[in-house]
Coordinates of all heavy atoms in Angstrom, one line a residue:
M1 N -12.3 -3.8 -18.5 CA -11.1 -4.4 -17.8 C -10.0 -4.7 -18.8 O -10.3 -5.3 -19.8 CB -11.6 -5.6 -16.9 CG -10.7 -6.1 -16.0 SD -10.2 -5.2 -14.5 CE -11.7 -5.1 -13.6
E2 N -8.8 -4.2 -18.4 CA -7.7 -4.5 -19.4 C -6.6 -5.2 -18.6 O -6.3 -4.8 -17.4 CB -7.2 -3.2 -20.1 CG -6.3 -3.4 -21.1 CD -6.1 -2.2 -22.0 OE1 -6.6 -1.1 -21.6 OE2 -5.5 -2.3 -23.1
H3 N -5.8 -6.2 -19.3 CA -4.7 -6.7 -18.7 C -3.4 -6.5 -19.5 O -3.5 -6.7 -20.8 CB -4.9 -8.3 -18.6 CG -3.9 -9.1 -17.8 ND1 -3.8 -9.0 -16.4 CD2 -2.8 -9.8 -18.3 CE1 -2.8 -9.7 -16.1 NE2 -2.3 -10.2 -17.2
L4 N -2.6 -6.0 -18.8 CA -1.2 -5.5 -19.6 C 0.0 -6.3 -19.0 O -0.1 -6.7 -17.8 CB -1.0 -4.1 -19.5 CG -2.1 -3.1 -19.7 CD1 -1.8 -1.7 -19.4 CD2 -2.5 -3.2 -21.2
K5 N 1.0 -6.6 -19.9 CA 2.2 -7.2 -19.4 C 3.4 -6.6 -20.0 O 3.4 -6.1 -21.1 CB 2.1 -8.7 -19.8 CG 1.3 -9.5 -19.1 CD 1.4 -11.0 -19.4 CE 0.2 -11.8 -18.6 NZ 0.9 -12.7 -17.8
F6 N 4.4 -6.3 -19.1 CA 5.8 -5.8 -19.5 C 6.8 -6.5 -19.0 O 6.7 -7.1 -17.9 CB 5.8 -4.3 -18.9 CG 4.6 -3.4 -19.4 CD1 3.6 -3.1 -18.5 CD2 4.5 -2.9 -20.6 CE1 2.4 -2.4 -18.8 CE2 3.4 -2.1 -20.9 CZ 2.4 -1.8 -20.1
D7 N 7.9 -6.6 -19.7 CA 9.1 -7.3 -19.3 C 10.3 -6.5 -19.2 O 10.4 -5.6 -20.2 CB 9.2 -8.6 -20.1 CG 8.3 -9.6 -20.0 OD1 8.0 -10.0 -18.8 OD2 7.7 -10.1 -20.9
Y8 N 11.2 -6.6 -18.3 CA 12.4 -5.7 -18.3 C 13.6 -6.7 -18.1 O 14.0 -6.9 -16.9 CB 12.3 -4.7 -17.2 CG 11.2 -3.7 -17.5 CD1 9.9 -3.9 -17.1 CD2 11.5 -2.7 -18.3 CE1 8.9 -3.0 -17.6 CE2 10.4 -1.8 -18.7 CZ 9.2 -1.9 -18.4 OH 8.3 -1.0 -18.8
P9 N 14.2 -7.2 -19.2 CA 15.3 -8.1 -19.0 C 16.6 -7.6 -18.3 O 17.4 -8.3 -17.9 CB 15.5 -8.6 -20.5 CG 14.8 -7.8 -21.4 CD 13.8 -7.0 -20.4
S10 N 16.7 -6.3 -18.4 CA 18.0 -5.7 -17.8 C 17.9 -5.5 -16.3 O 18.8 -5.3 -15.6 CB 18.2 -4.3 -18.4 OG 17.1 -3.4 -18.0
A11 N 16.7 -5.8 -15.7 CA 16.6 -5.8 -14.3 C 17.0 -7.2 -13.6 O 16.3 -8.1 -13.7 CB 15.1 -5.4 -13.8
K12 N 18.3 -7.3 -13.4 CA 18.9 -8.6 -13.1 C 19.3 -8.8 -11.6 O 19.7 -9.8 -11.1 CB 20.1 -8.9 -13.9 CG 19.6 -9.1 -15.3 CD 20.9 -9.3 -16.2 CE 20.7 -9.3 -17.7 NZ 20.0 -10.4 -18.1
R13 N 19.4 -7.6 -10.8 CA 19.8 -7.8 -9.4 C 18.8 -8.7 -8.6 O 17.7 -8.5 -8.6 CB 19.9 -6.3 -8.8 CG 20.6 -6.4 -7.4 CD 20.7 -5.0 -6.9 NE 19.6 -4.1 -7.0 CZ 18.6 -4.2 -6.1 NH1 18.6 -5.0 -5.1 NH2 17.6 -3.4 -6.3
R14 N 19.4 -9.5 -7.9 CA 18.7 -10.5 -7.1 C 18.0 -9.8 -5.9 O 18.5 -9.0 -5.2 CB 19.5 -11.6 -6.5 CG 18.8 -12.7 -5.8 CD 19.8 -13.9 -5.6 NE 19.2 -15.0 -5.1 CZ 18.8 -15.2 -3.6 NH1 19.2 -14.3 -2.9 NH2 18.1 -16.3 -3.4
V15 N 16.7 -10.2 -5.7 CA 15.8 -9.7 -4.7 C 15.2 -10.7 -3.9 O 15.0 -11.8 -4.4 CB 14.7 -8.9 -5.3 CG1 13.5 -8.5 -4.2 CG2 15.1 -7.7 -6.2
T16 N 15.2 -10.6 -2.5 CA 14.8 -11.8 -1.7 C 13.5 -11.5 -0.9 O 12.9 -12.5 -0.3 CB 15.9 -12.1 -0.7 OG1 16.1 -11.0 0.1 CG2 17.0 -12.6 -1.5
K17 N 13.1 -10.3 -0.8 CA 12.0 -9.9 -0.1 C 10.7 -9.7 -0.8 O 10.7 -9.6 -2.1 CB 12.1 -8.7 0.8 CG 13.2 -8.9 1.8 CD 13.3 -7.5 2.7 CE 14.5 -7.7 3.7 NZ 14.5 -6.5 4.5
K18 N 9.5 -9.7 -0.1 CA 8.2 -9.4 -0.8 C 7.6 -8.0 -0.3 O 8.0 -7.5 0.9 CB 7.1 -10.4 -0.6 CG 7.6 -11.7 -1.1 CD 6.5 -12.8 -0.8 CE 6.9 -14.2 -1.3 NZ 5.8 -15.2 -1.1
A19 N 6.7 -7.4 -1.0 CA 6.1 -6.2 -0.7 C 4.6 -6.2 -1.1 O 4.3 -6.7 -2.1 CB 6.8 -4.9 -1.1
H20 N 3.9 -5.6 -0.3 CA 2.4 -5.3 -0.7 C 2.1 -3.9 -0.2 O 2.0 -3.7 1.0 CB 1.5 -6.4 0.0 CG 0.0 -6.2 -0.1 ND1 -0.9 -6.7 0.6 CD2 -0.6 -5.6 -1.2 CE1 -2.2 -6.3 0.1 NE2 -2.0 -5.6 -1.0
V21 N 1.8 -3.1 -1.1 CA 1.4 -1.6 -0.8 C 0.1 -1.2 -1.4 O -0.1 -1.7 -2.6 CB 2.6 -0.7 -1.0 CG1 3.8 -1.0 -0.2 CG2 3.0 -0.7 -2.5
G22 N -0.5 -0.3 -0.9 CA -1.8 0.2 -1.5 C -2.9 -0.7 -1.4 O -2.8 -1.8 -0.8
V23 N -4.1 -0.2 -1.7 CA -5.3 -0.9 -1.7 C -6.1 -0.6 -3.0 O -5.8 0.4 -3.6 CB -6.2 -0.5 -0.5 CG1 -5.7 -0.8 0.8 CG2 -6.6 1.1 -0.6
V24 N -6.8 -1.6 -3.4 CA -7.7 -1.4 -4.5 C -9.0 -0.5 -4.2 O -9.7 -1.1 -3.4 CB -8.1 -2.8 -5.2 CG1 -8.9 -2.5 -6.5 CG2 -6.9 -3.6 -5.5
G25 N -9.1 0.6 -4.7 CA -10.1 1.4 -4.4 C -10.2 2.5 -5.5 O -9.3 2.6 -6.3
S26 N -11.3 3.2 -5.4 CA -11.5 4.4 -6.5 C -10.3 5.3 -6.5 O -9.9 5.9 -5.5 CB -12.7 5.2 -6.0 OG -12.9 6.2 -7.0
G27 N -9.6 5.3 -7.7 CA -8.6 6.2 -7.8 C -7.2 5.7 -7.3 O -6.2 6.6 -7.1
D28 N -7.1 4.6 -6.7 CA -6.0 4.0 -6.1 C -5.6 2.6 -6.7 O -6.2 2.3 -7.7 CB -6.1 3.8 -4.7 CG -4.9 4.0 -3.8 OD1 -3.8 3.9 -4.4 OD2 -4.9 4.2 -2.6
M29 N -4.6 2.1 -6.2 CA -4.1 0.8 -6.7 C -3.4 0.0 -5.6 O -2.9 0.6 -4.7 CB -3.2 1.0 -8.0 CG -2.1 1.8 -7.6 SD -0.9 2.1 -9.1 CE -0.1 0.5 -9.0
E30 N -3.1 -1.3 -6.0 CA -2.4 -2.2 -5.0 C -1.2 -2.8 -5.8 O -1.4 -3.1 -7.0 CB -3.3 -3.3 -4.7 CG -2.7 -4.6 -4.1 CD -3.8 -5.6 -3.9 OE1 -4.3 -6.1 -4.8 OE2 -4.0 -5.9 -2.7
V31 N 0.0 -2.8 -5.2 CA 1.1 -3.4 -5.9 C 1.6 -4.5 -5.0 O 1.8 -4.5 -3.7 CB 2.3 -2.4 -6.1 CG1 3.6 -3.0 -6.5 CG2 1.8 -1.2 -6.9
L32 N 1.7 -5.7 -5.6 CA 2.3 -6.9 -5.0 C 3.7 -7.1 -5.8 O 3.8 -7.4 -6.9 CB 1.4 -8.2 -5.2 CG 0.0 -7.8 -4.7 CD1 -0.9 -9.0 -5.3 CD2 -0.1 -8.0 -3.2
M33 N 4.8 -7.1 -5.0 CA 6.1 -7.3 -5.6 C 6.8 -8.4 -4.9 O 6.8 -8.4 -3.6 CB 6.9 -5.8 -5.4 CG 8.3 -5.8 -6.2 SD 9.1 -4.4 -5.9 CE 8.2 -3.1 -6.9
Q34 N 7.5 -9.3 -5.7 CA 8.1 -10.3 -5.0 C 9.3 -10.7 -6.0 O 9.3 -10.3 -7.1 CB 7.2 -11.6 -4.9 CG 6.6 -12.1 -6.2 CD 5.6 -13.1 -6.0 OE1 5.0 -13.1 -5.0 NE2 5.5 -14.0 -6.9
P35 N 10.3 -11.5 -5.5 CA 11.4 -11.9 -6.3 C 10.9 -12.6 -7.4 O 10.0 -13.4 -7.5 CB 12.2 -12.9 -5.4 CG 11.8 -12.6 -4.0 CD 10.3 -12.1 -4.1
S36 N 11.6 -12.3 -8.7 CA 11.2 -12.9 -9.9 C 11.8 -14.4 -9.9 O 12.9 -14.6 -9.3 CB 11.9 -12.1 -11.1 OG 11.7 -12.7 -12.3
E37 N 11.2 -15.3 -10.7 CA 11.7 -16.6 -10.9 C 12.7 -16.7 -12.0 O 13.4 -17.7 -12.3 CB 10.5 -17.6 -11.2 CG 9.6 -17.7 -10.0 CD 8.4 -18.6 -10.3 OE1 8.4 -19.2 -11.4 OE2 7.5 -18.7 -9.5
T38 N 13.1 -15.6 -12.7 CA 14.0 -15.4 -13.7 C 14.9 -14.2 -13.5 O 14.6 -13.5 -12.5 CB 13.3 -15.3 -15.2 OG1 12.7 -14.0 -15.1 CG2 12.3 -16.4 -15.4
E39 N 15.9 -14.2 -14.3 CA 16.9 -13.0 -14.1 C 16.3 -11.9 -15.0 O 17.0 -11.3 -15.8 CB 18.3 -13.4 -14.6 CG 18.9 -14.3 -13.7 CD 20.4 -14.6 -14.1 OE1 20.8 -14.0 -15.1 OE2 21.0 -15.2 -13.3
A40 N 15.1 -11.3 -14.7 CA 14.5 -10.3 -15.3 C 13.3 -9.9 -14.4 O 12.8 -10.4 -13.5 CB 14.0 -10.7 -16.8
A41 N 12.8 -8.6 -14.8 CA 11.6 -8.2 -14.0 C 10.3 -8.3 -15.0 O 10.4 -8.2 -16.2 CB 11.7 -6.7 -13.7
H42 N 9.2 -8.7 -14.3 CA 7.9 -8.9 -15.1 C 6.9 -8.1 -14.4 O 6.8 -8.2 -13.1 CB 7.6 -10.4 -15.2 CG 8.8 -11.3 -15.5 ND1 9.1 -11.3 -17.0 CD2 9.7 -11.9 -15.0 CE1 10.1 -12.1 -17.1 NE2 10.6 -12.6 -15.9
V43 N 6.1 -7.5 -15.2 CA 5.0 -6.7 -14.7 C 3.6 -7.1 -15.3 O 3.5 -7.3 -16.4 CB 5.1 -5.1 -15.0 CG1 4.0 -4.4 -14.4 CG2 6.5 -4.7 -14.4
S44 N 2.7 -7.3 -14.4 CA 1.3 -7.6 -14.8 C 0.4 -6.6 -14.2 O 0.3 -6.3 -13.0 CB 1.0 -9.1 -14.3 OG -0.4 -9.3 -14.5
V45 N -0.4 -5.9 -15.1 CA -1.4 -5.0 -14.6 C -2.8 -5.3 -15.0 O -3.0 -5.7 -16.1 CB -1.1 -3.6 -15.3 CG1 -2.1 -2.5 -14.8 CG2 0.4 -3.2 -15.0
Q46 N -3.6 -5.3 -14.0 CA -5.1 -5.5 -14.1 C -5.7 -4.1 -13.8 O -5.6 -3.7 -12.8 CB -5.6 -6.6 -13.2 CG -7.0 -6.9 -13.4 CD -7.2 -7.9 -14.7 OE1 -6.3 -8.7 -15.0 NE2 -8.2 -7.7 -15.3
T47 N -6.3 -3.4 -14.9 CA -6.7 -2.1 -14.6 C -8.3 -2.0 -15.1 O -8.6 -2.7 -16.1 CB -5.9 -1.1 -15.4 OG1 -6.4 0.2 -15.2 CG2 -5.8 -1.4 -16.9
S48 N -9.0 -1.2 -14.3 CA -10.3 -1.0 -14.7 C -10.5 0.1 -15.7 O -11.6 0.3 -16.3 CB -11.1 -0.6 -13.5 OG -10.6 0.7 -13.0
V49 N -9.5 0.7 -16.3 CA -9.4 1.7 -17.2 C -8.8 1.2 -18.5 O -7.6 1.1 -18.6 CB -8.8 3.0 -16.7 CG1 -9.0 4.1 -17.7 CG2 -9.4 3.4 -15.4
N50 N -9.5 1.3 -19.6 CA -8.9 0.8 -20.9 C -8.3 1.8 -21.7 O -8.7 3.1 -21.5 CB -10.2 0.1 -21.7 CG -10.6 -1.1 -21.1 OD1 -10.1 -1.7 -20.3 ND2 -11.9 -1.4 -21.4
G51 N -7.4 1.5 -22.5 CA -6.7 2.5 -23.5 C -5.6 3.3 -23.0 O -5.3 4.2 -23.6
F52 N -5.0 2.9 -21.8 CA -3.9 3.6 -21.3 C -2.5 2.8 -21.4 O -1.6 3.1 -20.6 CB -4.2 4.2 -20.0 CG -5.1 5.3 -20.1 CD1 -6.5 5.1 -20.0 CD2 -4.7 6.6 -20.1 CE1 -7.4 6.2 -20.0 CE2 -5.6 7.6 -20.2 CZ -6.9 7.5 -20.1
T53 N -2.4 1.9 -22.4 CA -1.2 1.0 -22.4 C 0.1 1.9 -22.5 O 1.0 1.6 -21.8 CB -1.4 0.1 -23.6 OG1 -2.6 -0.6 -23.4 CG2 -0.1 -0.8 -23.7
Q54 N 0.0 3.0 -23.4 CA 1.2 3.8 -23.5 C 1.6 4.5 -22.2 O 2.8 4.7 -22.0 CB 1.1 4.7 -24.7 CG 1.1 4.0 -26.1 CD 2.3 3.2 -26.3 OE1 3.4 3.3 -25.9 NE2 2.0 1.9 -26.9
S55 N 0.7 5.0 -21.5 CA 0.9 5.7 -20.2 C 1.5 4.7 -19.2 O 2.5 5.1 -18.5 CB -0.4 6.2 -19.7 OG -0.8 7.3 -20.5
W56 N 1.0 3.5 -19.2 CA 1.4 2.4 -18.2 C 2.9 2.2 -18.7 O 3.7 2.1 -17.8 CB 0.6 1.2 -18.3 CG -0.5 1.2 -17.4 CD1 -1.8 1.6 -17.8 CD2 -0.6 1.2 -16.0 NE1 -2.7 1.5 -16.7 CE2 -2.0 1.4 -15.5 CE3 0.3 0.8 -15.1 CZ2 -2.3 1.2 -14.3 CZ3 -0.1 0.7 -13.7 CH2 -1.4 0.9 -13.3
K57 N 3.2 2.0 -19.9 CA 4.5 1.6 -20.3 C 5.5 2.9 -20.0 O 6.7 2.6 -19.6 CB 4.6 1.4 -21.8 CG 5.9 1.0 -22.4 CD 5.9 0.3 -23.8 CE 7.2 -0.1 -24.2 NZ 8.4 -0.1 -23.3
A58 N 5.1 4.0 -20.1 CA 6.0 5.1 -19.8 C 6.3 5.1 -18.4 O 7.5 5.3 -18.1 CB 5.4 6.5 -20.3
V59 N 5.3 4.9 -17.6 CA 5.7 4.8 -16.1 C 6.5 3.7 -15.7 O 7.6 3.8 -15.1 CB 4.4 4.9 -15.3 CG1 4.6 4.5 -13.8 CG2 3.5 6.1 -15.5
M60 N 6.3 2.5 -16.3 CA 7.1 1.4 -16.0 C 8.5 1.5 -16.5 O 9.5 1.2 -15.8 CB 6.5 0.2 -16.6 CG 5.3 -0.3 -16.0 SD 5.5 -0.8 -14.2 CE 3.8 -0.5 -13.6
D61 N 8.7 2.2 -17.7 CA 10.0 2.5 -18.3 C 10.7 3.3 -17.4 O 12.0 3.0 -17.1 CB 9.8 2.9 -19.7 CG 9.3 1.9 -20.7 OD1 9.4 0.7 -20.4 OD2 9.1 2.3 -21.8
S62 N 10.1 4.3 -16.9 CA 10.8 5.3 -16.0 C 11.2 4.6 -14.7 O 12.3 4.8 -14.2 CB 9.7 6.5 -15.7 OG 10.4 7.5 -14.9
F63 N 10.3 3.9 -14.2 CA 10.7 3.1 -12.8 C 11.8 2.2 -13.1 O 12.8 2.2 -12.3 CB 9.4 2.3 -12.3 CG 9.8 1.5 -11.2 CD1 9.9 2.2 -9.9 CD2 9.9 0.2 -11.2 CE1 10.2 1.4 -8.8 CE2 10.1 -0.5 -10.2 CZ 10.3 0.0 -8.8
F64 N 11.8 1.4 -14.1 CA 12.9 0.5 -14.4 C 14.2 1.1 -15.0 O 15.3 0.4 -14.9 CB 12.5 -0.8 -15.2 CG 11.7 -1.8 -14.3 CD1 10.2 -1.8 -14.4 CD2 12.3 -2.6 -13.4 CE1 9.5 -2.7 -13.8 CE2 11.5 -3.4 -12.6 CZ 10.1 -3.6 -12.8
A65 N 14.1 2.4 -15.3 CA 15.4 3.1 -15.7 C 16.2 3.3 -14.4 O 17.3 3.4 -14.5 CB 15.0 4.4 -16.3
R66 N 15.6 3.3 -13.2 CA 16.2 3.6 -12.0 C 16.3 2.3 -11.1 O 17.1 2.3 -10.2 CB 15.4 4.7 -11.3 CG 15.5 6.0 -11.9 CD 14.8 7.3 -11.0 NE 13.6 6.9 -10.5 CZ 12.3 7.0 -11.1 NH1 12.3 7.6 -12.3 NH2 11.3 6.7 -10.4
Y67 N 15.4 1.4 -11.2 CA 15.4 0.3 -10.3 C 15.8 -1.0 -11.3 O 15.2 -1.3 -12.2 CB 14.0 0.0 -9.8 CG 13.9 -1.0 -8.8 CD1 14.4 -0.8 -7.5 CD2 13.3 -2.3 -9.1 CE1 14.4 -1.9 -6.5 CE2 13.2 -3.4 -8.1 CZ 13.7 -3.0 -7.0 OH 13.8 -4.1 -6.0
D68 N 16.7 -1.7 -10.7 CA 17.4 -2.9 -11.3 C 17.0 -4.2 -10.7 O 17.6 -5.2 -11.0 CB 18.8 -2.7 -11.5 CG 19.6 -2.7 -10.1 OD1 18.9 -2.7 -9.1 OD2 20.9 -3.0 -10.2
G69 N 16.0 -4.3 -9.8 CA 15.7 -5.6 -9.0 C 14.9 -6.5 -10.0 O 14.0 -6.1 -10.8
A70 N 15.3 -7.8 -9.9 CA 14.5 -8.9 -10.7 C 13.5 -9.2 -9.9 O 13.4 -10.1 -9.0 CB 15.5 -10.0 -11.0
V71 N 12.3 -8.5 -10.2 CA 11.1 -8.7 -9.4 C 9.9 -9.1 -10.4 O 10.0 -8.8 -11.5 CB 10.7 -7.4 -8.6 CG1 11.6 -7.1 -7.5 CG2 10.6 -6.2 -9.5
S72 N 9.0 -9.7 -9.7 CA 7.7 -9.9 -10.4 C 6.6 -8.9 -9.7 O 6.5 -9.0 -8.5 CB 7.2 -11.3 -10.1 OG 6.0 -11.6 -10.7
I73 N 6.0 -8.1 -10.5 CA 5.1 -7.2 -9.9 C 3.6 -7.5 -10.5 O 3.6 -7.6 -11.7 CB 5.5 -5.8 -10.3 CG1 6.9 -5.5 -9.8 CG2 4.4 -4.7 -9.9 CD1 7.3 -4.2 -10.4
H74 N 2.7 -7.5 -9.6 CA 1.3 -7.6 -9.9 C 0.7 -6.3 -9.5 O 0.7 -6.0 -8.3 CB 0.6 -8.8 -9.4 CG -0.7 -9.0 -10.0 ND1 -1.0 -9.4 -11.3 CD2 -1.9 -8.7 -9.4 CE1 -2.3 -9.4 -11.5 NE2 -2.9 -9.0 -10.3
I75 N -0.1 -5.7 -10.3 CA -0.7 -4.5 -10.0 C -2.2 -4.5 -10.3 O -2.7 -5.0 -11.4 CB -0.2 -3.1 -10.8 CG1 1.2 -2.9 -10.5 CG2 -1.1 -2.0 -10.6 CD1 1.8 -1.8 -11.4
N76 N -3.0 -4.3 -9.3 CA -4.5 -4.2 -9.4 C -4.9 -2.8 -9.4 O -4.7 -2.1 -8.2 CB -5.1 -5.0 -8.2 CG -4.8 -6.4 -8.4 OD1 -5.1 -7.1 -9.4 ND2 -4.3 -6.9 -7.2
D77 N -5.4 -2.2 -10.5 CA -5.5 -0.7 -10.6 C -7.1 -0.5 -10.5 O -7.9 -1.1 -11.3 CB -4.9 -0.2 -11.8 CG -5.2 1.2 -12.1 OD1 -5.0 2.0 -11.1 OD2 -5.8 1.4 -13.2
A78 N -7.4 0.6 -9.9 CA -8.8 1.1 -10.0 C -8.8 2.6 -10.4 O -9.5 3.4 -9.7 CB -9.4 1.0 -8.5
G79 N -8.1 2.9 -11.4 CA -8.1 4.3 -11.9 C -7.0 5.1 -11.4 O -7.2 6.4 -11.4
A80 N -5.9 4.6 -10.9 CA -4.8 5.6 -10.4 C -4.2 6.4 -11.5 O -4.1 6.1 -12.5 CB -3.8 4.7 -9.7
T81 N -3.8 7.6 -11.0 CA -3.0 8.4 -12.0 C -1.5 8.0 -12.1 O -1.1 7.3 -11.3 CB -3.0 10.0 -11.5 OG1 -2.3 9.9 -10.2 CG2 -4.4 10.4 -11.2
P82 N -0.8 8.4 -13.1 CA 0.5 8.0 -13.3 C 1.4 8.3 -12.0 O 2.3 7.7 -11.7 CB 0.9 8.7 -14.5 CG -0.2 8.9 -15.3 CD -1.4 9.1 -14.4
G83 N 1.1 9.5 -11.4 CA 1.8 9.8 -10.1 C 1.6 8.8 -9.0 O 2.6 8.5 -8.3
T84 N 0.4 8.4 -8.9 CA 0.1 7.4 -7.9 C 0.7 6.1 -8.2 O 1.3 5.4 -7.3 CB -1.5 7.3 -7.7 OG1 -2.0 8.5 -7.4 CG2 -1.8 6.2 -6.7
V85 N 0.8 5.7 -9.4 CA 1.5 4.4 -9.9 C 3.0 4.5 -9.5 O 3.4 3.6 -8.9 CB 1.4 4.2 -11.4 CG1 2.1 3.0 -11.9 CG2 -0.2 4.1 -11.8
M86 N 3.7 5.6 -9.8 CA 5.0 5.7 -9.4 C 5.1 5.6 -8.0 O 6.2 5.0 -7.4 CB 5.7 7.0 -10.1 CG 7.1 7.1 -9.9 SD 8.1 5.7 -10.6 CE 8.1 6.3 -12.4
L87 N 4.3 6.4 -7.2 CA 4.5 6.4 -5.7 C 4.3 5.0 -5.2 O 5.2 4.6 -4.4 CB 3.3 7.3 -5.2 CG 3.2 7.3 -3.7 CD1 4.6 7.9 -3.1 CD2 2.0 7.9 -3.2
R88 N 3.4 4.2 -5.7 CA 3.2 3.0 -5.2 C 4.4 2.0 -5.5 O 4.9 1.2 -4.6 CB 1.9 2.2 -5.7 CG 0.7 3.0 -5.1 CD 0.4 2.7 -3.7 NE -0.7 3.3 -3.3 CZ -0.9 4.1 -2.1 NH1 0.1 4.2 -1.4 NH2 -2.0 4.5 -1.9
L89 N 4.9 2.1 -6.8 CA 6.1 1.3 -7.1 C 7.2 1.7 -6.2 O 8.0 0.7 -5.8 CB 6.5 1.5 -8.5 CG 5.4 1.0 -9.7 CD1 5.6 1.5 -11.0 CD2 5.4 -0.5 -9.6
E90 N 7.4 3.0 -6.0 CA 8.6 3.4 -5.2 C 8.4 2.8 -3.7 O 9.4 2.4 -3.1 CB 8.9 4.9 -5.2 CG 9.4 5.3 -6.6 CD 9.3 6.8 -6.8 OE1 8.8 7.5 -6.0 OE2 10.0 7.2 -7.8
Q91 N 7.2 2.9 -3.2 CA 6.9 2.3 -1.8 C 7.3 0.9 -1.7 O 7.9 0.5 -0.8 CB 5.5 2.6 -1.5 CG 5.2 4.1 -1.1 CD 3.6 4.2 -1.0 OE1 2.8 3.6 -1.6 NE2 3.3 5.1 0.0
A92 N 6.9 0.2 -2.7 CA 7.1 -1.3 -2.8 C 8.6 -1.6 -2.9 O 9.1 -2.5 -2.1 CB 6.3 -1.9 -4.0
A93 N 9.3 -0.8 -3.7 CA 10.7 -1.0 -3.7 C 11.3 -0.7 -2.5 O 12.3 -1.3 -2.1 CB 11.3 -0.1 -4.9
E94 N 10.9 0.3 -1.8 CA 11.6 0.8 -0.5 C 11.3 -0.4 0.5 O 12.2 -0.7 1.2 CB 11.0 2.1 0.0 CG 11.5 2.6 1.2 CD 10.9 3.9 1.7 OE1 10.6 4.7 0.8 OE2 10.8 4.1 2.9
V95 N 10.2 -1.1 0.6 CA 9.9 -2.2 1.5 C 10.8 -3.2 1.1 O 11.4 -3.8 2.1 CB 8.4 -2.5 1.3 CG1 8.2 -3.9 2.1 CG2 7.5 -1.4 1.9
I96 N 11.0 -3.6 -0.1 CA 11.9 -4.7 -0.4 C 13.3 -4.4 -0.1 O 14.1 -5.4 0.3 CB 11.7 -5.0 -1.9 CG1 10.5 -5.9 -2.2 CG2 12.9 -5.7 -2.5 CD1 10.2 -6.3 -3.6
E97 N 13.8 -3.2 -0.2 CA 15.3 -2.9 0.0 C 15.5 -2.5 1.5 O 16.6 -2.6 1.8 CB 15.5 -1.6 -0.9 CG 15.4 -1.7 -2.2 CD 16.2 -2.9 -2.9 OE1 17.3 -3.1 -2.3 OE2 15.7 -3.5 -3.9
Q98 N 14.6 -2.7 2.4 CA 14.9 -2.4 3.8 C 15.4 -3.6 4.3 O 15.2 -4.7 4.1 CB 13.5 -2.1 4.6 CG 13.0 -0.7 4.2 CD 11.8 -0.5 5.0 OE1 11.2 -1.3 5.6 NE2 11.4 0.8 4.9

């Protein structure tokens, strides 16, 4: 089990809603997204698969290159692929932006 943290100080746009998408299960993941308490985005990842910090960082960097919301994200991962990670992040962002 590995715990990762990432911060994105450039994500400053105020967000007011919360989102919960996905489920923790084999090959899937859960994303909990809510407004950040600061003017930045913060990501916490709890993953069952060790050794993929650079892959997680690449996906998060790609997501925050397009998304500027000041959110706090908590991810519970059970072995999701990078494509699934991006899908769940985009789903959560869509819920928040509705």
Side-chain angles (χ1 to χ4, degrees):
M1 187 73 60
E2 193 165 7
H3 187 77
L4 310 172
K5 291 190 181 237
F6 305 101
D7 294 307
Y8 294 89
S10 63
K12 295 182 185 286
R13 187 174 50 82
R14 189 170 185 270
V15 172
T16 60
K17 294 183 179 179
K18 296 179 181 181
H20 177 201
V21 296
V23 295
V24 181
S26 179
D28 206 346
M29 60 178 275
E30 165 185 64
V31 174
L32 305 162
M33 190 180 286
Q34 63 187 28
S36 177
E37 295 178 6
T38 66
E39 289 187 358
H42 308 284
V43 180
S44 172
V45 179
Q46 187 75 35
T47 179
S48 62
V49 184
N50 296 336
F52 286 88
T53 303
Q54 292 305 322
S55 293
W56 278 101
K57 181 162 178 19
V59 171
M60 293 300 157
D61 289 352
S62 179
F63 176 73
F64 281 105
R66 296 186 311 272
Y67 186 74
D68 65 346
V71 293
S72 178
I73 300 174
H74 184 76
I75 296 173
N76 295 307
D77 173 55
T81 65
T84 300
V85 173
M86 186 61 80
L87 173 69
R88 294 288 182 231
L89 289 169
E90 290 172 350
Q91 286 175 323
E94 185 176 322
V95 169
I96 279 182
E97 300 300 327
Q98 291 179 348

